Amino acid sequence: MQQHLPLLPVDFCCRFGVSWWPRFLELQFSQSLCVRSETSTTMSFSHLSTLKCSTFSLSSGKFYGNHILPQAASTIPTLDGEAEGNTAGLNFESTKLRIKKMFNKVDLTVSSYDTAWVAMVPSTNSLKDPFFPECVNWILGNQLYDGSWGPPNLHPLLMKDALLSTIACILALKRWSVGEEQINKGLHFIESNLASANDEELHSPVGFNIMFPVMIESAMKLDMNLPLGAPTLDALFHRRERELKSGYGSNSEGWRAFLAYISEGFGKSQDWELVMKYQRKNGSLFNSPSTTAAAFTHLKNADCLKYLRTLLEKFGNAVPTVYPLDNYARLSMVASLESLGIDRHFREEIRSVLDETYRCWLHGDEDIFSDAATCAMAFRLLRVNGYDVSADPLSQFSEDCFFNSLGGYLKDIGAALELLRASEFIIHPDESVMEKQNYWTSHFLKQELSNTLVQDHIFNKHIVLEVEDVLKFPSYANLGRLSTRRAIKYYNTDSARILKSSYRCLNIGNEDFLKLAVDDFNICQSIHREELNHLARWIEENRLDKLNFARQKLVYCYFSAAATLFPPELSDARISWAKNGVLTTVVDDFFDIGGSEEELVNLIQLVEKWDVNVSVDCCSEHVEIIFSALKNTINEIGVKAFKWQGRSVTSHVIEIWLDLLKSMSKEAEWLRNKSVPTMDEYMTNAYISFALGPIVLPALYLVGPKLSEEVVRNSEFYNLYRLMSTSGRLLNDIQGFKRESAEGKLNALTLAMIHGNRVITEEETINEMKSVITSKRRELLSLVLLEKGSIVPRACKDLFWNMSKVLHLFYAKNDGFTAHDMMKTVMAVTEEPIVADEFCNQSHV
């Protein structure tokens, strides 16, 4: 059950000179949403003004009382701060409200093409009358000014869509001998644009090369005024014959499914009984109104009729090109909100969608299981959000099955992409179906990316970017803020899709999603920048910058917190994470190179005693600086954790640090004595000495849920820590092997080669280590995602997984924490705002 987070503490606002709500208002005042200046990006906390505002509760969405909260001086001029602030707040909330309402209804545009085929269905009482006269009337009333039918303001690259829809509407009107004026205007449009039918640069509706020539022939047989024998028509007919010959030659199940999907183009020559094997429980064929209308015309199937009537009851006098799409659309909304980093604003709505999806999953709902993209997306979202779902249904989308389906024949990149995403969440040893799925989908998508026609096509540019992103950044190395920034960049607000005709689902590719995501990203980043400034001062105040032996890694340490724990209310957790990250780096360097044996022993003794006189009990200035910083930070975390937990946890944080210091001391002893531990001895110590304990474990007390002593002493808690740290240690040892070998240090690779039962090469050892890492990572993910029998709250388990993702990113190619080549990535999270207009403009083709 979702636990409410506490109110943002007032001391958070006072400490950083900012409240997230006033900063949001400040950002909204800027027309570009992210006006940058030297003063705004290098803001000092000494330049503060006060602003009377209200504290905002993230758990209830209400305002509580008035407080005088310090705010960083704004560089943005305003005419009336209170009025503009209210407007900005209302805009933010109204955008959220519009998105919330979208969960209640899936909006689909109607299709002139499919409506025409429904209009052509004859009455069962008289072949001279239409069964659905309302569709005929809709066609008569919806011709566009240029004589075409289809969506208004159609993109020029969709001219073939307009041609196909227009000829279908002409045939429907001619079938019932009405609309002569509209027919003539439509014929003029076709004649004027017929050359576009052979333009391979244009996007083609599914089956266009077969359907359009057939329908042109039908028009000619009805003595319509078309240029008979024109070279363009000849080329069309030749292309149709080539495609049919190629398809019949393959004789694949995918080809047969494709022919069934475009059955309306074959009339009486089609084997309709064979086509009916594709009929679904809702009465449709392929959820396609045009195919279903044609089937009813020839077979008078009652379920087909029921489906068509359902459509017209829902949409009025016209029909869409695909229906139903509700499950796919709502799941796409959830997926978009999660990828854009704004799902926390819609927890109730998302939970409602997932609960209903889970119910459908358990009942084997055809609408979910018959479509690869919907099934894969449902599986991924359910599994990631803690629902117990089996991977077995994905076996129907194995490589052979997929390419023998309609989607496979059409090379559905979107479906393959969803299958690839789903395949990354393996949590059980017996999920080989997902291993295979990951292999073939990644191979297929890489092949498609190499296809220049796919790459160059403007309507594919966003999906191409998505595919490249997923192939480059697997989910286990994808950090929240980084992936959000890329998702904003790739988000397509002009998401015209095309089957037999183009269509839009207003729930997918909605501009409100993008607007809210940009606002939210910049709000969070403004807070992150100011926290980073606070941390820089903390380093100076604690004299950590005076320790010349220590690496200065504040920015990286804070980045790993801000990239994963980004919401404003998690400030305490971010600060704890970052400070302990800095301190573990300092202590690691102190034990490696900066401290003498006497100093190392002295530091451990000081932490064990705790209440000491630093001016007397510290044997050196270095020890005094490090111990004082440790003690101040641990006490500070203890005070903050008490507010969240309602109990003291300081002793546990001290214990965590003592475990680290003692494990580092053992490694230093091995190095001094030139000892060679066994692999088990090394790993038992190394997962602690890797120093993730002080970073992750204290932060768990600061993310919301209350953690009892029973929970933090439970084996589940220990296993989460062990798995995260073990895989991290091995990642580090692989990338640091050459450097550490040169320094005379032992690590897992060295020991594996020393203690192996056979002669083993470095490459073989690395491959074995990678297999272990994969196994540990999946075991960790399983603990994080599975709720049955778990006592550690999900919000806490996520921190272990987030740190694992940080490590996989840092050590993807080299020791990223030690190197400096990640600075550009860090800046994208902490320093570079998103300009909304830049992404809005590129979304429109």
Side-chain angles (χ1 to χ4, degrees):
M1 188 173 182
Q2 183 65 44
Q3 298 196 29
H4 289 308
L5 294 164
L7 292 178
L8 258 165
V10 174
D11 72 319
F12 159 76
C13 303
C14 297
R15 182 169 73 244
F16 302 122
V18 65
S19 153
W20 79 270
W21 187 251
R23 283 294 288 164
F24 162 64
L25 304 184
E26 178 185 327
L27 285 162
Q28 283 285 330
F29 296 158
S30 166
Q31 292 183 355
S32 69
L33 291 178
C34 55
V35 173
R36 286 193 69 186
S37 70
E38 290 302 312
T39 52
S40 65
T41 55
T42 59
M43 193 179 297
S44 166
F45 277 80
S46 61
H47 302 111
L48 299 174
S49 61
T50 59
L51 175 68
K52 186 175 183 181
C53 67
S54 297
T55 304
F56 184 77
S57 166
L58 288 138
S59 59
S60 64
K62 298 178 181 177
F63 291 92
Y64 288 85
N66 288 325
H67 302 277
I68 302 298
L69 300 178
Q71 158 129 2
S74 172
T75 62
I76 305 169
T78 63
L79 298 174
D80 186 335
E82 184 176 354
E84 292 200 36
N86 290 338
T87 300
L90 287 172
N91 286 340
F92 189 82
E93 291 303 310
S94 63
T95 302
K96 284 171 56 177
L97 183 59
R98 286 194 301 274
I99 294 174
K100 286 175 183 284
K101 288 180 177 179
M102 289 170 60
F103 281 94
N104 299 326
K105 182 183 178 182
V106 173
D107 281 314
L108 272 175
T109 54
V110 294
S111 161
S112 300
Y113 174 83
D114 288 83
T115 301
W117 281 101
V118 175
M120 282 188 264
V121 174
S123 170
T124 52
N125 298 322
S126 172
L127 295 179
K128 294 182 179 180
D129 298 319
F131 200 111
F132 301 105
E134 62 268 43
C135 292
V136 180
N137 290 331
W138 185 91
I139 293 171
L140 287 169
N142 283 274
Q143 188 174 32
L144 300 177
Y145 71 93
D146 61 357
S148 70
W149 277 271
N153 303 314
L154 198 66
H155 193 280
L157 287 175
L158 290 174
M159 178 56 72
K160 291 182 181 180
D161 178 22
L163 288 170
L164 193 61
S165 294
T166 300
I167 191 65
C169 288
I170 288 172
L171 290 173
L173 295 180
K174 189 69 174 179
R175 173 75 173 81
W176 308 117
S177 301
V178 295
E180 184 176 351
E181 180 182 349
Q182 286 92 335
I183 290 173
N184 290 332
K185 287 177 65 178
L187 290 172
H188 178 71
F189 172 82
I190 290 175
E191 185 175 354
S192 300
N193 294 279
L194 192 58
S196 297
N198 288 317
D199 189 342
E200 294 185 0
E201 294 298 314
L202 302 184
H203 208 64
S204 290
V206 174
F208 178 85
N209 289 340
I210 295 174
M211 301 285 294
F212 188 65
V214 167
M215 296 166 77
I216 289 290
E217 281 184 324
S218 297
M220 290 176 175
K221 291 176 183 177
L222 294 172
D223 296 325
M224 293 191 196
N225 185 24
L226 282 170
L228 297 175
T232 300
L233 288 178
D234 291 340
L236 279 173
F237 296 141
H238 285 311
R239 181 178 288 109
R240 173 178 179 266
E241 293 308 313
R242 283 199 306 271
E243 187 161 332
L244 287 171
K245 183 177 180 180
S246 172
Y248 282 121
S250 71
N251 197 32
S252 67
E253 182 58 36
W255 166 252
R256 288 192 288 272
F258 170 67
L259 289 182
Y261 179 61
I262 60 170
S263 288
E264 65 268 27
F266 294 94
K268 294 179 181 179
S269 66
Q270 179 63 281
D271 184 345
W272 287 100
E273 295 298 333
L274 187 63
V275 169
M276 292 305 290
K277 78 172 188 175
Y278 297 100
Q279 188 173 34
R280 299 188 177 181
K281 292 177 182 178
N282 62 14
S284 78
L285 285 90
F286 304 99
N287 286 343
S288 167
S290 53
T291 311
T292 308
F296 177 68
T297 297
H298 291 278
L299 298 177
K300 301 298 184 284
N301 180 274
D303 289 332
C304 288
L305 177 59
K306 183 179 178 181
Y307 171 76
L308 296 174
R309 280 178 167 160
T310 299
L311 284 179
L312 291 170
E313 286 172 8
K314 181 175 180 64
F315 291 94
N317 301 330
V319 298
T321 197
V322 58
Y323 181 84
L325 201 66
D326 294 43
N327 283 319
Y328 177 82
R330 289 193 173 95
L331 288 169
S332 293
M333 286 180 66
V334 173
S336 293
L337 293 171
E338 288 188 355
S339 67
L340 292 170
I342 50 178
D343 52 300
R344 68 189 189 282
H345 297 296
F346 307 95
R347 288 194 178 105
E348 289 184 11
E349 291 78 12
I350 289 173
R351 179 58 60 184
S352 177
V353 169
L354 295 180
D355 283 346
E356 176 61 18
T357 302
Y358 188 53
R359 186 191 66 79
C360 293
W361 184 278
L362 294 178
H363 286 85
D365 191 293
E366 183 185 48
D367 191 39
I368 289 178
F369 290 114
S370 62
D371 178 70
T374 306
C375 184
M377 189 161 29
F379 171 82
R380 173 172 61 89
L381 293 174
L382 289 173
R383 176 163 282 192
V384 166
N385 284 281
Y387 294 82
D388 185 14
V389 288
S390 167
D392 290 346
L394 295 177
S395 61
Q396 66 177 313
F397 304 113
S398 64
E399 184 173 10
D400 288 342
C401 292
F402 180 78
F403 288 109
N404 278 317
S405 69
L406 176 62
Y409 178 79
L410 298 175
K411 294 190 175 181
D412 189 342
I413 294 176
L417 179 59
E418 288 299 339
L419 288 168
L420 174 59
R421 284 173 169 148
S423 71
E424 293 184 329
F425 293 92
I426 299 173
I427 60 175
H428 298 300
D430 58 347
E431 293 184 325
S432 59
V433 61
M434 295 175 68
E435 296 262 19
K436 294 174 183 176
Q437 185 173 289
N438 184 277
Y439 175 79
W440 79 255
T441 51
S442 57
H443 181 70
F444 166 70
L445 290 170
K446 287 173 184 175
Q447 277 189 323
E448 288 301 295
L449 284 185
S450 66
N451 183 338
T452 54
L453 289 177
V454 172
Q455 282 276 14
D456 293 342
H457 208 296
I458 191 169
F459 277 96
N460 291 330
K461 68 174 184 177
H462 289 89
I463 191 71
V464 165
L465 291 171
E466 279 190 68
V467 169
E468 289 176 339
D469 190 68
V470 172
L471 290 173
K472 186 176 181 181
F473 299 101
S475 61
Y476 58 79
N478 212 1
L479 303 192
R481 289 286 87 175
L482 288 174
S483 62
T484 292
R485 189 176 187 110
R486 294 194 305 271
I488 290 172
K489 180 179 180 181
Y490 306 151
Y491 192 71
N492 184 10
T493 58
D494 188 21
S495 57
R497 297 162 178 249
I498 193 161
L499 290 170
K500 293 177 186 177
S501 67
S502 63
Y503 71 99
R504 283 186 173 84
C505 176
L506 303 185
N507 304 67
I508 303 171
N510 191 285
E511 287 195 13
D512 280 334
F513 284 39
L514 184 63
K515 182 180 186 302
L516 193 69
V518 172
D519 285 353
D520 187 78
F521 187 96
N522 289 336
I523 290 163
C524 293
Q525 189 185 69
S526 69
I527 295 170
H528 298 164
R529 279 199 299 269
E530 299 188 24
E531 288 176 352
L532 194 51
N533 288 337
H534 160 78
L535 288 165
R537 290 203 313 278
W538 167 79
I539 285 179
E540 293 178 3
E541 290 165 359
N542 284 273
R543 297 180 293 159
L544 296 173
D545 56 327
K546 305 299 183 184
L547 303 174
N548 295 328
F549 62 83
R551 290 165 291 169
Q552 298 300 313
K553 292 295 179 180
L554 167 61
V555 175
Y556 279 15
C557 293
Y558 182 75
F559 159 78
S560 67
T564 55
L565 299 168
F566 57 85
E569 67 272 18
L570 296 184
S571 175
D572 285 344
R574 282 192 298 275
I575 296 300
S576 168
W577 181 298
K579 285 185 176 180
N580 280 317
V582 169
L583 290 172
T584 55
T585 305
V586 168
V587 169
D588 183 44
D589 291 342
F590 189 55
F591 274 79
D592 271 355
I593 55 174
S596 65
E597 184 176 356
E598 178 191 3
E599 287 175 312
L600 304 186
V601 171
N602 182 222
L603 179 60
I604 293 174
Q605 291 172 341
L606 290 169
V607 176
E608 286 176 329
K609 293 178 181 179
W610 196 248
D611 293 321
V612 297
N613 184 338
V614 293
S615 61
V616 174
D617 295 330
C618 295
C619 70
S620 69
E621 183 183 11
H622 283 173
V623 172
E624 180 187 348
I625 291 173
I626 294 171
F627 176 73
S628 297
L630 274 175
K631 186 171 185 178
N632 291 338
T633 302
I634 291 171
N635 285 337
E636 176 190 302
I637 291 169
V639 171
K640 294 185 186 308
F642 188 87
K643 295 178 184 178
W644 292 77
Q645 299 295 319
R647 69 183 183 92
S648 175
V649 300
T650 304
S651 60
H652 185 215
V653 181
I654 296 172
E655 178 188 330
I656 292 166
W657 266 103
L658 262 177
D659 287 344
L660 173 63
L661 295 175
K662 290 177 180 179
S663 69
M664 287 182 168
S665 176
K666 181 173 284 190
E667 286 189 351
E669 182 184 339
W670 285 339
L671 187 61
R672 282 196 306 272
N673 299 335
K674 297 183 179 180
S675 302
V676 180
T678 67
M679 190 66 167
D680 284 344
E681 288 174 332
Y682 174 79
M683 290 307 301
T684 300
N685 189 72
Y687 87 86
I688 300 173
S689 68
F690 192 50
L692 297 184
I695 300 172
V696 176
L697 302 184
L700 298 172
Y701 290 119
L702 304 170
V703 293
K706 292 188 183 301
L707 297 174
S708 67
E709 190 71 14
E710 177 191 2
V711 171
V712 298
R713 301 297 176 186
N714 188 272
S715 60
E716 180 188 2
F717 191 92
Y718 164 76
N719 286 332
L720 287 161
Y721 172 41
R722 176 182 57 81
L723 290 167
M724 168 193 69
S725 296
T726 299
S727 59
R729 166 54 76 185
L730 294 177
L731 283 166
N732 174 271
D733 283 4
I734 288 173
Q735 297 296 353
F737 171 68
K738 286 183 169 57
R739 174 176 55 81
E740 291 181 328
S741 295
E743 295 170 358
K745 297 178 183 177
L746 297 172
N747 74 13
L749 262 73
T750 310
L751 293 173
M753 288 188 282
I754 291 174
H755 295 306
N757 296 326
R758 60 185 177 84
V759 176
I760 186 170
T761 66
E762 177 185 333
E763 183 180 358
E764 288 174 320
T765 308
I766 288 174
N767 288 334
E768 288 183 6
M769 291 287 175
K770 287 181 177 179
S771 295
V772 173
I773 291 168
T774 298
S775 175
K776 299 295 182 187
R777 184 181 68 238
R778 289 176 179 174
E779 194 177 343
L780 173 62
L781 183 60
S782 177
L783 284 178
V784 171
L785 297 185
L786 294 180
E787 293 186 353
K788 189 176 181 180
S790 173
I791 68 169
V792 180
R794 175 62 187 268
C796 297
K797 292 195 289 186
D798 282 340
L799 265 66
F800 294 100
W801 183 242
N802 287 340
M803 176 55 90
S804 177
K805 293 199 287 187
V806 169
L807 298 169
H808 278 84
L809 178 68
F810 274 2
Y811 299 113
K813 294 181 179 178
N814 51 40
D815 185 349
F817 187 75
T818 302
H820 298 284
D821 56 0
M822 279 196 61
M823 190 53 66
K824 184 178 179 181
T825 301
V826 172
M827 295 291 285
V829 170
T830 60
E831 288 294 328
E832 299 170 2
I834 296 176
V835 180
D837 291 343
E838 173 187 343
F839 297 120
C840 288
N841 291 337
Q842 77 168 17
S843 291
H844 292 280
V845 291

